[in-house]
């Protein structure tokens, strides 16, 4: 499971705090059981809001069906495979 983003944490926490305050003021809960139910419902709502915030797709997830993979240069491909890479710079071969 990926880590939550900062936006998800902020929206979730703000939802929990604001919903708890609003429900406590609107319901007039006074007993420990009522306050517990209000807090638990606010926590559940905060988690749902945090999950609903879309996460950025910076390189995560599967590649869409019509997308192509980025072009890999031979120098980068050989460097990744562990062999010596050669590049042509101004007509000279650099090792």
């Amino acid at each position: 499971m990926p880590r939550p983003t900062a936006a998800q944490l902020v929206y979730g926490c703000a939802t929990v705090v604001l919903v708890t305050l609003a429900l406590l003021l609107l319901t007039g809960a006074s007993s420990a059981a009522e306050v517990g139910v209000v807090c638990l419902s606010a926590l559940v709502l905060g988690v749902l809001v945090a999950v609903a915030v879309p996460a950025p797709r910076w390189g995560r997830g599967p590649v869409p069906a019509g997308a192509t993979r980025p072009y890999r240069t031979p120098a980068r491909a050989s460097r990744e495979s562990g062999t010596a890479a050669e590049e042509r710079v101004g007509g000279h071969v650099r090792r």
Side-chain angles (χ1 to χ4, degrees):
M1 182 173 161
R3 294 183 181 181
T5 62
Q8 289 173 319
L9 290 174
V10 168
Y11 281 121
C13 291
T15 301
V16 170
V17 170
L18 294 176
V19 168
T20 302
L21 289 176
L23 285 177
L24 286 175
L25 290 173
L26 291 175
T27 61
S30 57
S31 71
E34 292 172 342
V35 172
V37 169
V38 166
C39 291
L40 184 63
S41 61
L43 183 63
V44 168
L45 186 61
V47 169
L48 291 175
V49 167
V51 170
V53 173
R57 296 191 46 105
W58 295 320
R60 285 192 265 159
V63 177
T68 59
R69 298 226 180 250
Y71 176 75
R72 293 174 53 179
T73 61
R76 182 175 176 190
S78 63
R79 192 176 325 123
E80 290 174 355
S81 67
T83 61
E86 293 183 354
E87 299 179 21
R88 289 200 174 272
V89 179
H92 302 290
V93 176
R94 202 170 88 187
R95 296 179 193 255

